[in-house]
């Protein structure tokens, strides 16, 4: 998830720069270097003169999240939605954040909002699946993992966790197919799981 998260940030960062949207800020540069505490200080300064900037507010929230300041991250993402309720990234970030905080019903709520905004978001379907998996909604979680995979055939983690649910449902052959896919897609823990369940 970290790789996906950083890829999305870099892609958005490059897109904004290329489109001449908002000027690349000091905070963004520090964030891209992994200097999250320094990025927060820079975003604080930038927000003094750009209070309405959804971009700066969202990225400060991401920086808070990276430094483990989850309540501050939550507050920034919610402020983004106050200014722009159709902000896909803020909805996805809140879904991830609430999953991390073990508030699984909230995670489903915001991931579902992200799906309303973009039904082809594999990440949103995956987040719904992970939260429903934790809540024990096995069949619904399976369906959401499958939707994520249908959108992105290279979603290794979706194969891994769908396989785990199939083991639970005693669908061993199909589970092993998913674990092999996860191994081929270089999901770190997939090899040991394949070895354990598929002899």
């Amino acid at each position: 998830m970290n790789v996906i998260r950083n890829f999305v940030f870099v892609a958005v960062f490059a897109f904004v720069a290329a489109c001449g949207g908002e000027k690349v800020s000091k905070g963004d540069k520090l964030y891209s270097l992994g200097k999250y505490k320094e990025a927060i200080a820079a975003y604080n300064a930038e927000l003094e003169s750009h209070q309405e900037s959804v971009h700066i507010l969202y990225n400060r929230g991401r920086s808070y999240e990276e430094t483990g300041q989850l309540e501050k991250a939550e507050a920034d993402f919610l402020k983004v939605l106050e200014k722009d309720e159709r902000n896909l990234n803020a909805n996805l970030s809140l879904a991830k954040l609430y999953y991390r905080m073990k508030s699984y019903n909230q995670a489903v709520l915001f991931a579902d909002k992200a799906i309303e905004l973009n039904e082809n978001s594999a990440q949103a379907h995956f987040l719904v699946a992970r939260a429903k998996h934790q809540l024990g909604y096995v069949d619904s979680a399976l369906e959401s993992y499958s939707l994520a995979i249908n959108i992105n055939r290279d979603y290794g983690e979706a194969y891994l966790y769908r396989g785990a649910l199939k083991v639970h449902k005693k669908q061993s052959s199909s589970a092993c197919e998913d674990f092999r896919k996860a191994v081929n897609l270089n999901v770190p823990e997939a090899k040991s799981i394949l070895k354990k369940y598929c002899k």
Side-chain angles (χ1 to χ4, degrees), residues 100-120:
R100 189 174 170 187
M101 296 166 75
K102 300 185 179 179
S103 296
Y104 302 122
N105 286 312
Q106 286 289 88
V108 171
L109 176 70
F110 283 96
D112 277 341
K113 286 182 181 178
I115 291 168
E116 286 174 22
L117 295 169
N118 179 7
E119 64 183 12
N120 292 316

Side-chain angles (χ1 to χ4, degrees), residues 42-112:
Y43 288 134
N44 286 340
E46 290 163 18
L47 281 167
E48 288 180 13
S49 54
H50 299 89
Q51 292 179 7
E52 297 304 309
S53 174
V54 168
H55 171 81
I56 296 171
L57 192 58
Y58 174 74
N59 288 339
R60 185 179 69 176
R62 296 291 303 280
S63 301
Y64 280 134
E65 186 178 13
E66 291 290 350
T67 57
Q69 299 179 73
L70 302 187
E71 289 182 4
K72 288 184 176 181
E74 176 189 18
D76 274 357
F77 296 147
L78 289 171
K79 281 179 195 170
V80 168
L81 291 181
E82 284 175 17
K83 296 172 184 295
D84 175 15
E85 64 182 14
R86 295 182 60 78
N87 190 293
L88 177 64
N89 287 331
N91 279 294
L92 284 170
S93 289
L94 281 163
K96 285 185 283 187
L97 188 69
Y98 287 128
Y99 181 85
R100 189 174 170 187
M101 296 166 75
K102 300 185 179 179
S103 296
Y104 302 122
N105 286 312
Q106 286 289 88
V108 171
L109 176 70
F110 283 96
D112 277 341

